[in-house]
Amino acid sequence: MKRQAYRPILITDASRSQGDQLTSRQRRYVVMMGVRVACVIVGAILVGAQAPLLWLWLPMVALGMVLIPWIAVLLANDRPPKEQHRLANRFSSRPATGAEPPPMSLSAEERPHRVIDAEP
């Protein structure tokens, strides 16, 4: 096995900070709750105005009022998945498995060894 040259870690490979992730999740939650408020307002206007096809529009608005908060909470609590071994693929060209040696280690053939002379 040939040792590969060291490659520096790039900052573009870094994951987003916890603060950035939290801010984006909060924005997504507020937007979805805004859509829910819009559904409530549209439902009230449709009922007050006795709109045609009320039997069609009212269940759609009610479904939005019920499902959107549930989805918003799920998305607000979700975060990007952690990358298992981000650096493992940088040091080897083959996929990482449990049987191969850790990156940058020497194989048995590359390790220095002592030669014992068998002279009498």
Side-chain angles (χ1 to χ4, degrees):
M1 179 195 303
K2 187 177 180 181
R3 289 181 74 180
Q4 294 184 358
Y6 171 76
R7 290 187 228 155
I9 300 170
L10 302 175
I11 190 66
T12 54
D13 290 341
S15 61
R16 292 176 52 199
S17 71
Q18 294 289 333
D20 288 344
Q21 291 177 19
L22 179 64
T23 303
S24 68
R25 292 193 319 246
Q26 287 173 340
R27 282 188 195 131
R28 195 176 349 166
Y29 181 81
V30 169
V31 167
M32 292 185 82
M33 287 296 111
V35 171
R36 180 180 187 226
V37 168
C39 285
V40 170
I41 293 171
V42 168
I45 292 171
L46 288 174
V47 169
Q50 296 177 355
L53 299 175
L54 188 62
W55 59 271
L56 175 67
W57 294 110
L58 206 53
M60 288 176 37
V61 170
L63 191 64
M65 287 187 293
V66 171
L67 287 181
I68 288 176
W70 179 69
I71 294 171
V73 168
L74 286 178
L75 292 178
N77 289 327
D78 189 26
R79 62 178 177 81
K82 291 184 179 178
E83 296 179 26
Q84 202 163 9
H85 298 284
R86 290 179 38 203
L87 298 178
N89 294 333
R90 290 208 178 273
F91 297 112
S92 65
S93 60
R94 52 195 157 129
T97 62
E100 58 181 62
M104 303 299 284
S105 67
L106 297 175
S107 66
E109 295 84 26
E110 294 175 329
R111 289 189 190 123
H113 57 280
R114 293 189 322 197
V115 177
I116 300 174
D117 292 329
E119 292 182 29

